[in-house]
Amino acid sequence: MEELKYRGKKREGRHGDTWDPFQLNPVGAEKEQKRVCFQLAQYLVAVIVGVAVLASAVVAKGSLLVLSTLSSNTSMRSPKEKQFYMLMLVFCLVCPNFLVFLKSLWRCAFKSFVRPNMKTMGFICSVECLVSLGTSVLVLVVMPQFDVLTNLFISGGVCIMSAILQIIFRLQTEKWKILFPVCSLILTVAGYCLLGLDYYVRVSTLVDRQSSDCYIYIAIGIVSSLLVSICWWENPLQATNRLQETRLELDGFRDFVFVISSILRIIVIGAVYLLYHVLIQKSIIWSDFNLNNDEWELLQTGLVLFFLQAFCSAACHWFGVVACKIHSVRMSFALPLCCTGPTVLFLGLILFLTQAQKLDGAQTESMTAFCESLASLSHKNTTPVLLLELTRSICRTSLNSYYLQWPFSMLAVEGVCMWSGFITCTYYVWKIKVQRIERTSQLFVRRLYESAFIDLSLLLNTKMKVPRARNQDSHDDIQNCVIYLCATMWHETYDEMLKILTSMFRMDRYRGDPKEEHKSSFDFECHIYVDDAFMTEKDTGKRLVNSYVNDLIHVVTEVYRVFTNKEPDDVSIIEAPYGGRLMFVMPEGNMLYVHLKDKELIRNKKRWSQVMYMYYLLGWKGYIVKNPQKIKRQNNPCRASLVSMDGESYLLPQYDNDNKRKFISDENTYILALDGDTDFQPKAVILLVDRLRMYENVGAACGRIHPTGMGPMVWYQKFEYAVGHWLQKTAEHVFGSVLCSPGCFSLFRGSALMDDNVLKRYTTTASRAAEYVQYDQGEDRWLCTLLLQQGWRVEYNAASDAYTNSPQEFKEFYNQRRRWGPSTLANTLDLLHSGAETVKRNSSISRLYILYQMFTVGSSILGPASVTLMIAGAFQFVFRLSGTISIVIASIPPVFYIILCFVAKANTQITIAGIMSVLYAFLMTASFFSIIGDMVVQGTFLTPTGLFLVSMAIMYFVTALLHPEEFGMIIYGLMYFICIPSGYLLLTIYSLVNMDNVSWGTRESNKGAGEAKKNQSILCDRNCKLCCWDMKIQISQETENLMLQQITAHTAQQVLPSQNATKEIPQEPASVLEPQAKLNTPKEAAVKVVEKPPNDKPKRKVPEDSDTASRSSDNSLDTRSISSSVSHKDLYKNNFMTDDLEEQEELVVSDWVTPVKQEFLKKLTYANMKRNLQEQIRYTLRNRDYDEVCEELVLMLTDTLNRELNGVGPEDVLTQSQLEELQYALTEQARHILKTSRMEKLERKVKIAVEKTLTAPQVQKLDENENDFWNKLIERYLRPIVDQKAHQEEVSRELKSLRNKAVFLYFIVNVLWVVATFFLQAIGNDVISIKIPKYYPNGTESGDYLKVEPLSLMFLLSFAILLIVQFLAMLYHRVYTLIHVVSYRTTEKDYKERDDEEEEEDGFTLENQFSNGLVVTSDDL
């Protein structure tokens, strides 16, 4: 209700100024707000992950302590049990090495293999062997000799080497922080001293008959701890950039090194076990490993402890990585790991205090008596084994002393020292800052974790990130990037344009002022490329923009009004060699360019628009950044890109972005490819940027595309898109690389597009039949194929949502898929053909993945036969026909449709396909219920068909549950099911037979072609004949005032000054029409005469090669030399006169410029100016400190505006003289108010706001260098294709030949499959069949057998395996999508308003971080 009242209040305000206060309010235009449920969800996920880290670490550590206690020499277990538990300890140490071995071997075999440097590999393997030796000796030799509390405390000593290296290299950012590693070293040494002292007291006081050989084990334990601490040697060294070359070299072949080192570590572990327990202790009896049936409890206890330790240590490592990726390092990573030791101790004490009462002897008064009573409790059936052994281990401490029990406090102090030393050594983890979805290699130094010390291993393995050690190759800081949003338009409707423009303006609001830092560290520009934007007016022969462009202009104006409640401020109209360009400054200062393509000057269609913007944004803009000395503006940006205003200069927004590009590499330059009807949120773009920013080998990333619209065809596509993204794209992402990043919403890396054999080959003009199919019918898939073949990876991000219109008509849908089907097959076959070479180049594509794609291609080729057999089964179910008859009947419609497609026209083919689709839908519905009925009759669903149907339904239901925001798509599953024959049989036939048709097929109509769109407000339209003269007189509402002035002979005094009096470049507040190249009407002839205004001074002659800014500078000096006797009003007018008037006089513009400019001149009507002025003042003074003076200014300036324009109608456009008088009056009024309020410092801001309000659209000339670039680009790559008739006939013959070959191949393969099934049915199930026992749902066997032919069963199983593989990939992908979403929500901020308290922040000063090297001379000012 509040929102309704707010909108009503705004509408009432508009209604006071105009009779047309109504406006559109596109969905999504409102400011994005944080939702409380997502905030709660992010904290809930962080808590769950933190609890998982703590729980898994506690269980892993506790189970290892229990195993070491059970295998101890002093344990009350039998020797057979002890050696079995010792073997489980060995397996615990081997497990993480085995997992790393498998992962590294997989990557070497199926990803990439780099030949290692033997010297580096030898060094790494030596270190790994020492670490493995220390770990195995500490766990297998030392820990079984100590009690459980000592084992818990002694592991803290493995941080000693890290502390020493931190002290040596002084890694602390602040000097006093060196106390942390110093304290860690002191505390650890103190802990070892207390350990020795504690055992000295035990030996002296004869605690549990402790022998003196314990000192040997203490020494061995200290040495082995030192060896283990070497494990993380790389962490301090990488923080200091030492051994940089060695580490970078190691990164190249780290996988192979891990394969070798894992094997060596396992060998060392086995060697220590055999050497100590077989040769020294001689405690291993090999025959005892043959366990009897009555020893099941022993096996069960040992295996459970082993699996708990192995699984929980791996889970702790994984959850620790997740905690860092979701930006919860402190709460979910550091805190749980630091609390692992105390938690284990606390839980152990609780267990001891609560459960020890159950033991016999617990009622004794002394600890020594209680410990002696444990010796008699050896019967495992009456006493819990674990409780007994843990209690027995505690009795080995000083608590069991007959003399002194206070030395037990030394053990407690030892534990505190060790734990404190470990905490102080890893203090840096609490301050670490990570990016969203940080790469694991950027979080941790080593891929391997030490399961015996999982908590210490994770903290010590966390990368130290020291600011002074950062370099250009470091990923510690988020990299600045620039994103070019490039939308291609081809006959979009008004509503479709509204979607893309709303999305772009949302992006502008999310990014904010480009001069300010954004937390996501990106800048962007919007580019819209309009194909077929011009038409020829029949009556006059003029080349004008068509109705699509007019719609686009109206949409831009409307969206700008919705977002800002005012008209566009800065609009420029520029002629270009390819047609024209409209340039807008968006509300927050980001740029929007609309490129209007004339198909008579440049090639149209989407691929050539992509070539156009890739060469412009990557080629040309990259060139002028890298070669500033060759471009005048880049060489001295002050000359062309700086504007002087009141003695101060600022960089224009369009040049500011180019200037920032100097500091951004091609790797961090991204192009977001969009369609003209795509709807997206800023979050979707940032999530894609994260993928490219984190992974350097990712060349492109796409999001989840949602089709929009209404009707059955859209419902079918909704589920089709859902299944394709849920299962197929996730499987491609997980197992290899996505094959197609759709052009409607995909982010491409600049350096990937600029790579060899990508963009250059993408410009290839199709000349052969296969090229027409592969290149032009699916340009986005071909571009991705080129990227994959060059070694780049393409990824899919399920959380990046985008919405695009889908075909709503059956004909449009079939024509769209007629393009997509053959193109998909052609590009996939091309990739498979170059599979061997692609596997070598692309680390993401393996031979196994190539095999997977071969299987999917084979399945798609056999799709028509499979659907035909499915329909045959439907006939068999519904009409109770025999198998052979059903196959024959089911084969008749496809054969009929193939023949029809060869002889009938396309429209007839689609009509017949629609009729057959309806009939097939009825049959599929009947088949669906028949299968259910058959399962009821059979009494079981455990038949091949029933099991497949039920499992498919369950799998899709579970998949939909895992996509909660898209769960509603499951409703369209039935529609998808009944349309399978149409989508996989008829559509395949139609697309293959019509492969020779390479037209676009959709949006082919051009409502703007032909005669120009007539003005809606024509007042007079007459054809007059006078003697031999034919005259056409047409007067519209827009030109009524001008015509009246011509009739009353006031043109020279009023029209001409308005032509020539303009403001300073680049803004022109005059509502005039530039002189035209062709003057055909009396109105145009009236503006041909050009005079200088009376107050304009003669200009000095300027050389032709001088640029506009130099002339502006020269005249600014003349302006300042005006005598003080000139009035303030005249001086004010002179300050904003253009300084290159001669160039404006000589500027000849095309016919299309005038009507376009007239559209934007509506900004200068009374109603629009009043609203613009109010909003401009509020935006300029949006700081809360200025609220009072802001409202006063709005009120007073509005009154001034009403007073000055008292006699002007709400829809009348102001003349130049009226604008100048109004500007002077408003400025003087504002100066008076600010002086009264003692806010003189705001005068310049308010003055600029007034000027922006009264600024008219300007017509600019394209830069000479850029003009030359476009001419050469068009000449080289984009000249309109004019095929000779002979060439067209040749291509047509080739296309038909290719069509015939493809149809023949498809036909033969599918016929063979159907014929094979037919003969198997004809032979009979009794001869050739597989008998499957029939089971009822309760699991009992019925005694009957189901007979299935082997071919059908093989295909069914293959398809089922494919779906299971895709389902598992989806589960994996869902987890990491959740991590990404949570990490984004954790750091998401609302749009941050600029703080304008500082005067320099308004963007009109020269000072900014990208202006390095600019020198402003007196000539520039």
Side-chain angles (χ1 to χ4, degrees):
M1 191 62 190
E2 293 297 328
E3 186 179 354
L4 293 175
K5 291 181 179 179
Y6 174 72
R7 292 204 303 266
K9 187 177 179 181
K10 290 180 65 176
R11 185 176 61 254
E12 287 178 5
R14 296 194 300 268
H15 206 174
D17 304 325
T18 178
W19 54 266
D20 187 11
F22 317 110
Q23 68 177 25
L24 293 176
N25 190 10
V27 177
E30 64 278 357
K31 185 177 178 180
E32 186 179 5
Q33 297 178 349
K34 285 188 176 180
R35 288 180 284 181
V36 177
C37 60
F38 273 106
Q39 291 181 337
L40 294 176
Q42 74 175 16
Y43 287 117
L44 180 62
V45 170
V47 170
I48 292 174
V49 171
V51 171
V53 171
L54 179 62
S56 55
V58 167
V59 173
K61 201 173 189 72
S63 56
L64 185 79
L65 292 174
V66 170
L67 278 175
S68 64
T69 302
L70 291 174
S71 60
S72 173
N73 290 333
T74 58
S75 170
M76 300 173 66
R77 301 299 97 205
S78 64
K80 184 175 185 179
E81 291 176 294
K82 291 179 184 178
Q83 77 172 30
F84 181 75
Y85 292 132
M86 181 60 68
L87 184 63
M88 294 299 104
L89 267 181
V90 173
F91 288 164
C92 289
L93 297 181
V94 168
C95 184
N97 295 283
F98 181 68
L99 294 177
V100 171
F101 169 77
L102 291 179
K103 184 175 181 179
S104 302
L105 185 63
W106 171 274
R107 293 176 65 90
C108 286
F110 296 108
K111 298 291 183 180
S112 62
F113 173 76
V114 179
R115 189 177 298 276
N117 182 306
M118 300 307 296
K119 183 178 179 180
T120 304
M121 190 177 75
F123 170 73
I124 299 298
C125 290
S126 301
V127 172
E128 293 296 328
C129 289
L130 290 176
V131 172
S132 181
L133 176 64
T135 305
S136 54
V137 168
L138 186 62
V139 175
L140 303 180
V141 177
V142 176
M143 289 178 66
Q145 305 299 322
F146 293 157
D147 60 89
V148 65
L149 294 179
T150 303
N151 288 336
L152 176 62
F153 299 151
I154 197 175
S155 60
V158 299
C159 66
I160 189 168
M161 186 59 69
S162 179
I164 293 173
L165 291 176
Q166 288 184 50
I167 296 171
I168 293 174
F169 296 128
R170 297 185 180 181
L171 300 177
Q172 295 70 31
T173 55
E174 301 174 25
K175 292 183 178 180
W176 67 271
K177 288 186 178 180
I178 200 172
L179 291 175
F180 285 105
V182 170
C183 290
S184 175
L185 184 60
I186 294 173
L187 290 169
T188 305
V189 172
Y192 282 131
C193 294
L194 288 171
L195 172 64
L197 189 59
D198 179 41
Y199 269 85
Y200 173 76
V201 173
R202 295 189 196 186
V203 173
S204 302
T205 56
L206 302 177
V207 174
D208 197 38
R209 296 178 293 279
Q210 185 73 55
S211 62
S212 58
D213 61 352
C214 65
Y215 300 129
I216 299 175
Y217 289 105
I218 291 174
I220 295 174
I222 294 173
V223 173
S224 58
S225 296
L226 285 171
L227 291 177
V228 174
S229 66
I230 301 174
C231 181
W232 302 281
W233 64 273
E234 196 176 346
N235 199 357
L237 293 181
Q238 64 84 26
T240 58
N241 286 338
R242 295 174 186 268
L243 299 179
Q244 188 78 3
E245 294 182 1
T246 303
R247 291 192 307 102
L248 290 175
E249 184 184 30
L250 176 62
D251 289 337
F253 52 84
R254 194 179 288 270
D255 291 318
F256 183 76
V257 170
F258 273 126
V259 170
I260 303 301
S261 63
S262 299
I263 296 174
L264 292 177
R265 285 174 65 104
I266 294 173
I267 292 174
V268 170
I269 293 170
V272 170
Y273 171 70
L274 295 175
L275 183 65
Y276 180 74
H277 292 282
V278 175
L279 299 181
I280 298 178
Q281 292 288 333
K282 298 181 180 180
S283 59
I284 302 298
I285 301 174
W286 299 108
S287 59
D288 287 347
F289 286 114
N290 297 322
L291 300 179
N292 302 320
N293 293 332
D294 56 348
E295 294 174 317
W296 166 248
E297 185 178 349
L298 168 64
L299 180 64
Q300 185 182 29
T301 303
L303 289 178
V304 167
L305 289 172
F306 161 64
F307 282 118
L308 278 177
Q309 207 286 328
F311 175 78
C312 288
S313 57
C316 183
H317 177 262
W318 187 81
F319 279 114
V321 173
V322 171
C324 294
K325 287 178 179 286
I326 64 173
H327 281 209
S328 186
V329 177
R330 294 182 183 179
M331 184 174 73
S332 304
F333 181 72
L335 181 62
L337 291 177
C338 290
C339 294
T340 299
T343 303
V344 171
L345 178 62
F346 180 71
L347 292 177
L349 290 176
I350 292 177
L351 179 67
F352 176 74
L353 295 175
T354 56
Q355 300 297 319
Q357 301 294 332
K358 300 179 181 179
L359 298 177
D360 295 337
Q363 294 77 19
T364 55
E365 296 180 356
S366 65
M367 185 68 181
T368 54
F370 171 71
C371 291
E372 288 180 356
S373 66
L374 296 178
S376 59
L377 301 176
S378 58
H379 199 279
K380 57 188 176 183
N381 292 329
T382 59
T383 306
V385 174
L386 299 182
L387 177 61
L388 177 63
E389 292 299 334
L390 290 175
T391 306
R392 179 73 184 82
S393 181
I394 293 174
C395 287
R396 295 175 61 192
T397 65
S398 298
L399 287 175
N400 192 23
S401 174
Y402 287 94
Y403 305 101
L404 300 172
Q405 293 186 349
W406 65 264
F408 179 78
S409 60
M410 288 192 299
L411 182 61
V413 174
E414 173 204 340
V416 172
C417 288
M418 289 293 192
W419 182 78
S420 301
F422 156 59
I423 296 299
T424 51
C425 182
T426 57
Y427 75 96
Y428 58 88
V429 177
W430 293 84
K431 295 292 184 181
I432 194 173
K433 293 182 180 180
V434 297
Q435 303 175 32
R436 279 195 299 270
I437 61 165
E438 182 101 59
R439 296 184 66 176
T440 306
S441 61
Q442 296 299 323
L443 290 171
F444 300 105
V445 179
R446 294 164 50 83
R447 186 182 302 164
L448 181 65
Y449 63 92
E450 299 295 333
S451 61
F453 324 101
I454 186 63
D455 51 339
L456 294 94
S457 172
L458 286 177
L459 287 175
L460 290 170
N461 196 29
T462 305
K463 251 188 182 179
M464 300 178 188
K465 298 186 178 183
V466 183
R468 67 181 177 86
R470 293 172 184 159
N471 54 45
Q472 60 181 359
D473 296 324
S474 174
H475 295 275
D476 295 345
D477 282 334
I478 189 169
Q479 300 291 314
N480 287 321
C481 68
V482 60
I483 309 169
Y484 294 108
L485 278 64
C486 299
T488 53
M489 284 192 173
W490 171 252
H491 299 170
E492 270 74 14
T493 64
Y494 189 95
D495 290 335
E496 290 171 342
M497 295 176 185
L498 199 61
K499 290 182 179 180
I500 187 66
L501 265 301
T502 303
S503 301
M504 289 179 170
F505 275 72
R506 275 198 298 256
M507 194 76 181
D508 172 68
R509 185 172 60 195
Y510 178 85
R511 171 59 183 89
D513 189 348
K515 295 179 179 61
E516 291 185 358
E517 291 284 337
H518 192 278
K519 290 196 174 182
S520 295
S521 297
F522 75 98
D523 291 286
F524 81 100
E525 284 181 2
C526 296
H527 294 260
I528 298 176
Y529 291 79
V530 184
D531 265 312
D532 193 17
F534 292 86
M535 66 181 180
T536 302
E537 192 177 38
K538 288 183 178 179
D539 294 338
T540 62
K542 294 181 182 178
R543 195 69 176 158
L544 304 176
V545 295
N546 58 22
S547 57
Y548 292 106
V549 178
N550 290 328
D551 284 346
L552 181 59
I553 292 172
H554 294 154
V555 169
V556 173
T557 305
E558 190 68 34
V559 174
Y560 202 105
R561 190 181 297 129
V562 169
F563 275 77
T564 64
N565 201 30
K566 58 188 178 69
E567 305 296 308
D569 287 326
D570 301 308
V571 181
S572 298
I573 305 169
I574 307 171
E575 291 188 72
Y578 54 82
R581 179 188 301 172
L582 305 179
M583 186 171 67
F584 303 87
V585 179
M586 300 171 81
E588 297 297 337
N590 298 288
M591 298 303 301
L592 168 64
Y593 299 89
V594 177
H595 303 264
L596 308 175
K597 294 174 59 181
D598 189 341
K599 62 182 180 182
E600 294 183 0
L601 302 176
I602 193 170
R603 292 183 195 177
N604 64 336
K605 296 301 176 67
K606 186 173 180 179
R607 177 157 75 99
W608 302 114
S609 292
Q610 290 179 331
V611 170
M612 179 179 171
Y613 67 65
M614 287 176 189
Y615 265 91
Y616 175 53
L617 300 174
L618 300 177
W620 170 250
K621 289 203 171 188
Y623 171 77
I624 63 177
V625 166
K626 294 178 175 65
N627 301 276
Q629 71 280 1
K630 296 184 179 181
I631 308 297
K632 294 178 182 178
R633 173 172 59 80
Q634 291 293 318
N635 191 28
N636 187 1
C638 303
R639 295 288 182 182
S641 56
L642 290 178
V643 169
S644 177
M645 188 173 294
D646 291 344
E648 296 190 32
S649 301
Y650 71 97
L651 202 60
L652 290 175
Q654 61 268 35
Y655 300 130
D656 190 28
N657 281 344
D658 293 343
N659 202 34
K660 290 180 181 179
R661 178 81 181 271
K662 296 178 183 177
F663 307 93
I664 297 174
S665 63
D666 293 331
E667 286 75 16
N668 294 315
T669 301
Y670 307 135
I671 288 182
L672 181 65
L674 300 165
D675 277 352
D677 59 356
T678 306
D679 184 16
F680 62 91
Q681 293 287 343
K683 179 195 81 169
V685 180
I686 302 304
L687 291 177
L688 292 183
V689 170
D690 286 341
R691 305 302 306 183
L692 272 67
R693 195 176 257 158
M694 287 296 101
Y695 303 96
E696 296 175 352
N697 66 328
V698 176
C702 61
R704 166 69 166 97
I705 309 301
H706 300 263
T708 58
M710 290 293 293
M713 288 313 306
V714 178
W715 300 341
Y716 171 83
Q717 291 173 86
K718 281 180 180 289
F719 191 79
E720 181 194 32
Y721 273 67
V723 171
H725 286 87
W726 290 352
L727 298 174
Q728 295 170 12
K729 259 193 168 46
T730 54
E732 290 178 352
H733 173 95
V734 171
F735 297 126
S737 176
V738 175
L739 296 188
C740 178
S741 188
C744 59
F745 188 71
S746 293
L747 190 70
F748 294 90
R749 188 188 300 275
S751 58
L753 296 173
M754 298 166 71
D755 198 2
D756 296 342
N757 208 37
V758 179
L759 183 53
K760 187 69 174 179
R761 191 176 176 195
Y762 196 59
T763 61
T764 304
T765 303
S767 58
R768 296 184 293 114
E771 293 174 350
Y772 277 96
V773 175
Q774 183 179 3
Y775 296 178
D776 294 328
Q777 299 296 288
E779 67 290 325
D780 45 7
R781 186 172 284 272
W782 183 43
L783 181 59
C784 290
T785 301
L786 296 177
L787 290 173
L788 293 173
Q789 290 173 337
Q790 285 302 110
W792 294 96
R793 174 175 168 79
V794 181
E795 290 198 346
Y796 164 61
N797 191 319
S800 183
D801 296 301
Y803 301 82
T804 184
N805 281 8
S806 57
Q808 302 185 42
E809 302 295 332
F810 190 80
K811 176 182 178 181
E812 189 179 7
F813 172 75
Y814 259 54
N815 281 329
Q816 182 195 65
R817 300 309 170 91
R818 184 252 302 159
R819 287 188 291 111
W820 287 6
S823 171
T824 299
L825 184 63
N827 280 284
T828 306
L829 292 177
D830 182 23
L831 188 66
L832 295 178
H833 178 71
S834 62
E837 187 64 27
T838 304
V839 168
K840 292 179 182 178
R841 289 189 175 188
N842 199 320
S843 61
S844 299
I845 295 181
S846 62
R847 295 176 182 85
L848 196 62
Y849 182 69
I850 294 293
L851 184 64
Y852 166 80
Q853 287 298 334
M854 287 181 177
F855 184 77
T856 56
V857 169
S859 300
S860 66
I861 291 176
L862 289 174
S866 303
V867 173
T868 302
L869 294 176
M870 184 176 66
I871 294 168
F875 279 120
Q876 196 171 359
F877 273 123
V878 177
F879 301 109
R880 301 301 175 187
L881 301 174
S882 64
T884 53
I885 299 297
S886 298
I887 293 175
V888 171
I889 296 175
S891 301
I892 294 175
V895 173
F896 162 75
Y897 190 64
I898 291 175
I899 297 172
L900 178 73
C901 288
F902 272 102
V903 298
K905 294 181 179 180
N907 288 338
T908 306
Q909 300 172 29
I910 294 175
T911 303
I912 299 299
I915 297 172
M916 295 177 68
S917 297
V918 174
L919 297 177
Y920 272 133
F922 284 121
L923 181 62
M924 292 299 294
T925 304
S927 174
F928 175 74
F929 288 106
S930 297
I931 291 173
I932 296 176
D934 183 67
M935 287 190 290
V936 174
V937 172
Q938 295 285 345
T940 179
F941 64 86
L942 299 177
T943 64
T945 306
L947 191 63
F948 181 75
L949 185 66
V950 171
S951 60
M952 283 278 289
I954 293 174
M955 188 186 71
Y956 283 136
F957 184 78
V958 173
T959 304
L961 279 177
L962 294 174
H963 298 76
E965 293 185 353
E966 304 175 37
F967 183 75
M969 298 297 163
I970 200 72
I971 299 173
Y972 305 116
L974 184 59
M975 181 72 187
Y976 180 80
F977 176 77
I978 65 175
C979 290
I980 284 177
S982 178
Y984 290 89
L985 178 62
L986 301 180
L987 182 56
T988 302
I989 294 172
Y990 175 78
S991 61
L992 282 173
V993 177
N994 290 277
M995 188 187 296
D996 57 321
N997 182 2
V998 291
S999 64
W1000 201 248
T1002 55
R1003 303 181 190 270
E1004 291 290 354
S1005 62
N1006 183 0
K1007 67 177 182 179
E1011 190 173 355
K1013 192 175 178 182
K1014 301 297 182 183
N1015 264 328
Q1016 302 297 323
S1017 54
I1018 294 179
L1019 303 179
C1020 175
D1021 190 4
R1022 293 286 187 271
N1023 292 316
C1024 304
K1025 278 192 176 183
L1026 182 61
C1027 297
C1028 59
W1029 296 93
D1030 292 336
M1031 300 178 64
K1032 181 177 178 64
I1033 301 175
Q1034 186 179 86
I1035 302 176
S1036 64
Q1037 183 177 354
E1038 288 80 0
T1039 58
E1040 182 184 11
N1041 294 334
L1042 180 59
M1043 296 296 289
L1044 289 174
Q1045 290 167 3
Q1046 292 173 343
I1047 294 171
T1048 56
H1050 289 298
T1051 306
Q1053 288 78 15
Q1054 295 184 13
V1055 176
L1056 294 180
S1058 69
Q1059 274 189 304
N1060 297 284
T1062 57
K1063 290 177 67 173
E1064 185 179 54
I1065 296 288
Q1067 297 175 340
E1068 177 195 356
S1071 57
V1072 298
L1073 308 177
E1074 274 67 11
Q1076 303 295 307
K1078 297 178 182 179
L1079 302 171
N1080 299 319
T1081 65
K1083 181 184 75 173
E1084 290 169 337
V1087 297
K1088 186 175 182 181
V1089 182
V1090 176
E1091 288 184 12
K1092 288 180 180 254
N1095 57 356
D1096 199 22
K1097 287 192 171 186
K1099 304 292 186 300
R1100 291 181 306 202
K1101 187 173 181 179
V1102 181
E1104 291 182 1
D1105 58 347
S1106 298
D1107 49 32
T1108 59
S1110 64
R1111 285 192 284 264
S1112 174
S1113 302
D1114 294 339
N1115 189 64
S1116 64
L1117 293 175
D1118 296 340
T1119 303
R1120 274 180 278 173
S1121 66
I1122 296 173
S1123 64
S1124 59
S1125 62
V1126 181
S1127 66
H1128 286 289
K1129 188 171 181 178
D1130 293 334
L1131 177 61
Y1132 179 78
K1133 291 180 183 178
N1134 275 292
N1135 278 333
F1136 292 93
M1137 300 292 280
T1138 184
D1139 302 309
D1140 52 347
L1141 189 59
E1142 293 89 344
E1143 184 177 345
Q1144 291 289 332
E1145 293 169 2
E1146 296 170 3
L1147 183 61
V1148 178
V1149 295
S1150 301
D1151 296 326
W1152 66 268
V1153 174
T1154 301
V1156 170
K1157 185 173 182 180
Q1158 284 289 346
E1159 286 292 332
F1160 293 112
L1161 282 175
K1162 294 177 182 178
K1163 168 190 175 181
L1164 299 180
T1165 61
Y1166 164 70
N1168 286 335
M1169 272 198 300
K1170 181 179 177 181
R1171 184 174 67 248
N1172 293 351
L1173 178 63
Q1174 294 171 348
E1175 295 302 323
Q1176 197 71 257
I1177 295 296
R1178 290 192 178 103
Y1179 181 79
T1180 303
L1181 305 179
R1182 60 192 178 277
N1183 194 308
R1184 291 182 180 179
D1185 297 337
Y1186 306 145
D1187 285 348
E1188 187 174 344
V1189 68
C1190 176
E1191 291 306 316
E1192 183 180 0
L1193 277 170
V1194 169
L1195 183 62
M1196 299 304 294
L1197 294 183
T1198 303
D1199 289 342
T1200 304
L1201 183 71
N1202 293 334
R1203 184 173 62 252
E1204 292 289 327
L1205 303 181
N1206 189 26
V1208 178
E1211 303 295 329
D1212 293 340
V1213 178
L1214 269 64
T1215 63
Q1216 176 64 24
S1217 59
Q1218 289 174 317
L1219 287 173
E1220 291 176 353
E1221 292 173 2
L1222 179 61
Q1223 189 165 348
Y1224 175 76
L1226 292 174
T1227 306
E1228 287 299 313
Q1229 180 67 31
R1231 183 182 294 117
H1232 174 72
I1233 295 171
L1234 294 174
K1235 188 174 181 180
T1236 305
S1237 304
R1238 296 184 178 180
M1239 288 284 187
E1240 291 88 345
K1241 65 178 182 179
L1242 300 178
E1243 183 179 338
R1244 187 165 58 86
K1245 289 185 177 183
V1246 176
K1247 183 179 178 181
I1248 293 170
V1250 172
E1251 290 162 4
K1252 276 195 170 187
T1253 304
L1254 305 180
T1255 299
Q1258 58 175 327
V1259 177
Q1260 290 184 350
K1261 186 178 180 181
L1262 195 64
D1263 179 75
E1264 182 181 347
N1265 294 291
E1266 186 177 336
N1267 192 79
D1268 182 62
F1269 155 75
W1270 284 115
N1271 286 324
K1272 291 179 179 177
L1273 178 67
I1274 293 171
E1275 179 67 28
R1276 190 171 300 176
Y1277 299 114
L1278 299 175
R1279 181 174 292 280
I1281 299 175
V1282 181
D1283 288 332
Q1284 300 296 328
K1285 187 175 181 180
H1287 176 71
Q1288 292 177 348
E1289 293 175 353
E1290 178 64 23
V1291 170
S1292 178
R1293 283 194 298 271
E1294 289 185 8
L1295 284 169
K1296 288 181 179 178
S1297 174
L1298 179 66
R1299 185 267 313 268
N1300 296 337
K1301 292 176 183 176
V1303 172
F1304 179 75
L1305 176 64
Y1306 254 82
F1307 183 78
I1308 288 297
V1309 171
N1310 283 274
V1311 165
L1312 287 176
W1313 185 263
V1314 173
V1315 167
T1317 307
F1318 174 83
F1319 280 109
L1320 287 174
Q1321 288 280 353
I1323 293 172
N1325 289 340
D1326 295 332
V1327 180
I1328 302 177
S1329 65
I1330 297 176
K1331 296 181 179 181
I1332 302 175
K1334 181 179 176 182
Y1335 288 91
Y1336 293 112
N1338 58 7
T1340 58
E1341 188 173 352
S1342 65
D1344 298 333
Y1345 290 91
L1346 297 171
K1347 298 178 181 178
V1348 184
E1349 66 252 17
L1351 203 60
S1352 300
L1353 184 63
M1354 180 189 70
F1355 181 78
L1356 205 63
L1357 288 176
S1358 302
F1359 191 67
I1361 292 172
L1362 180 65
L1363 286 177
I1364 291 172
V1365 168
Q1366 292 179 345
F1367 182 76
L1368 294 176
M1370 183 272 302
L1371 294 177
Y1372 177 86
H1373 194 266
R1374 277 280 87 192
V1375 173
Y1376 283 93
T1377 300
L1378 176 64
I1379 292 172
H1380 197 178
V1381 170
V1382 172
S1383 69
Y1384 178 82
R1385 290 293 175 182
T1386 309
T1387 57
E1388 184 188 27
K1389 301 293 182 184
D1390 286 339
Y1391 168 66
K1392 186 177 180 180
E1393 296 286 348
R1394 288 177 290 173
D1395 184 8
D1396 286 347
E1397 189 171 355
E1398 296 294 332
E1399 219 174 291
E1400 289 76 16
E1401 293 185 6
D1402 58 10
F1404 291 95
T1405 63
L1406 185 62
E1407 298 175 357
N1408 64 65
Q1409 59 177 326
F1410 299 103
S1411 297
N1412 300 332
L1414 287 179
V1415 178
V1416 183
T1417 64
S1418 59
D1419 291 336
D1420 299 317
L1421 298 177

